[in-house]
Amino acid sequence: MVDELISISNGLGDMGTSIIDVIPVLRHVPYWVPGAWYAKYAKKYRPKAKSLMDGPFEEVQNRISLGTAEPCYLANELETLQNKGPIMEHDFRRLKMAAFQLYMAGGETTSSTLMMFLLVMVHNPHIQKIAQKELDEVLGHKRLPDFEDKDSLPYVTALVNEVFRWKPVIPLGVPHTSMEDDIYNNMFIPKGTMIIPNQRYMLSDPSTYHDPQSFAPERFLPRPDGYGEPLPTSAFGFGRRICPGKQLAEGSIWIAITSILSTFDILPLRDGEGKPVLPTMEFDVHLTVRPKSLPCIIRPRTTQHASLIEI
Ligand code: HEM
């Protein structure tokens, strides 16, 4: 359902580019007015969005009443609210929206980032080897990584940060609006202006990052081993509305990348003559950016590594 809804919102174009973003008063125009295609679109798909918010919520409520609910965000929040007294209608609404947002905002961004990681690994086998060497020294081929290993894995952690920087999956961020008149670099920005942050440029600005187009984890290592360049925090937006899933995303992507690299080789396919066939650097650009296709081989490094992942 979420995937379907994401492709429906993709059909509306890029964030901040609809006619309603430009002339907000048009949101009051009814769907039957000629030309109000966006209102027709909203009317058509509203029931789907509503059922996506209501369905999983009701399912969790049912399970709670049957005593079969697993611990999860909704179950925990509902329990906390119940313990405080009667739950109000606006609490239900707030919770439904929050749970819906978590998956909508967190699923596609996380999976697109992991696809970028796989793409860049097929193209950079030498970087993969350096990261695996560091992981092997810490894990000794005997176990999977854990968060306590982070301080002992500076190169791999830099590699994860470089994945966030090299091709940010939300290149133009999410549009914001200025709340007051402002002056920036001698430009007057009136209150109410839509501001689209060019995060991709910020993360590949040559005055901040040397050779910004290349994938180079060592840029984040402190000098003299690296270049001590700033971490790619702008990949997660800014200010009051900065991504609230930042820590979760950084943690889940770190553990996914370290686990994959410690146990698998990510290799290119081979043609009839045994030459590597690299996936193209082409991207689907919608709400997020992700590789168009990713033909590659993901293979356990040894039988010993395979046994680590076979539970
Ligand atoms: C690689 C992973 C992720 C990236 C790159 C990312 C990036 C972003 C960006 C750029 C924004 C816009 C911030 C702004 O307005 O300045 C945002 C907003 C948001 N993100 Fe993430 N995000 C990621 C993962 C997640 C996860 C895992 C969750 C939750 C489970 C999440 C939840 C949200 C929510 C709810 C918002 C809207 C916040 C608001 O408008 O107040 N994100 N994210």
Side-chain angles (χ1 to χ4, degrees), residues 15 97-114 164 167-176 197 199 232-250 252-253 288:
M15 280 185 280
M97 297 285 279
F100 168 80
Q101 281 274 344
L102 284 184
Y103 196 92
M104 281 288 282
E108 174 111 344
T109 42
T110 304
S111 69
S112 298
T113 306
L114 286 175
F164 286 124
K167 275 269 182 272
V169 295
I170 312 188
L172 293 179
V174 171
H176 285 227
Q199 292 174 193
T233 44
S234 51
F236 291 94
F238 315 89
R240 195 163 65 88
R241 302 293 292 268
I242 192 171
C243 173
K246 180 173 181 283
Q247 280 82 3
L248 176 64
E250 285 172 338
S252 54
I253 288 171
T288 59

Side-chain angles (χ1 to χ4, degrees), residues 7-202:
S7 67
I8 290 166
S9 30
N10 286 343
L12 284 168
D14 294 335
M15 280 185 280
T17 58
S18 84
I19 186 79
I20 298 182
D21 290 309
V22 182
I23 313 171
V25 73
L26 288 181
R27 71 181 183 279
H28 300 298
V29 174
Y31 70 93
W32 42 264
V33 170
W37 65 270
Y38 50 85
K40 275 198 206 81
Y41 201 87
K43 183 174 159 40
K44 181 169 171 196
Y45 291 113
R46 176 180 295 227
K48 269 195 197 300
K50 192 168 165 347
S51 66
L52 184 57
M53 270 188 264
D54 293 342
F57 189 79
E58 283 158 14
E59 175 72 27
V60 171
Q61 276 186 312
N62 273 344
R63 290 189 196 179
I64 291 176
S65 60
L66 294 171
T68 57
E70 302 271 347
C72 75
Y73 170 74
L74 269 182
N76 297 352
E77 288 292 309
L78 279 169
E79 199 186 332
T80 312
L81 281 177
Q82 254 151 15
N83 292 341
K84 282 188 188 157
I87 306 182
M88 313 301 274
E89 194 47 43
H90 68 262
D91 288 326
F92 279 130
R93 194 177 145 66
R94 184 178 58 80
L95 264 184
K96 267 186 212 176
M97 297 285 279
F100 168 80
Q101 281 274 344
L102 284 184
Y103 196 92
M104 281 288 282
E108 174 111 344
T109 42
T110 304
S111 69
S112 298
T113 306
L114 286 175
M115 285 178 74
M116 292 296 188
F117 155 71
L118 293 172
L119 176 71
V120 87
M121 284 302 101
V122 193
H123 278 265
N124 294 279
H126 61 290
I127 291 180
Q128 206 177 140
K129 287 276 163 282
I130 301 174
Q132 286 174 330
K133 185 166 175 286
E134 186 182 74
L135 282 157
D136 293 346
E137 278 163 15
V138 174
L139 307 173
H141 308 275
K142 290 196 186 76
R143 61 176 180 90
L144 291 172
D146 206 342
F147 290 109
E148 281 88 71
D149 299 315
K150 197 163 182 186
D151 289 347
S152 319
L153 294 168
Y155 186 83
V156 185
T157 302
L159 185 152
V160 174
N161 279 315
E162 183 67 340
V163 171
F164 286 124
R165 186 204 68 85
W166 177 72
K167 275 269 182 272
V169 295
I170 312 188
L172 293 179
V174 171
H176 285 227
T177 303
S178 57
M179 294 167 73
E180 294 167 13
D181 287 351
D182 199 4
I183 293 178
Y184 177 75
N185 274 357
N186 291 328
M187 289 176 285
F188 175 58
I189 302 174
K191 176 181 173 178
T193 304
M194 188 202 297
I195 300 177
I196 298 177
N198 190 346
Q199 292 174 193
R200 181 165 170 203
Y201 182 77
M202 294 173 201

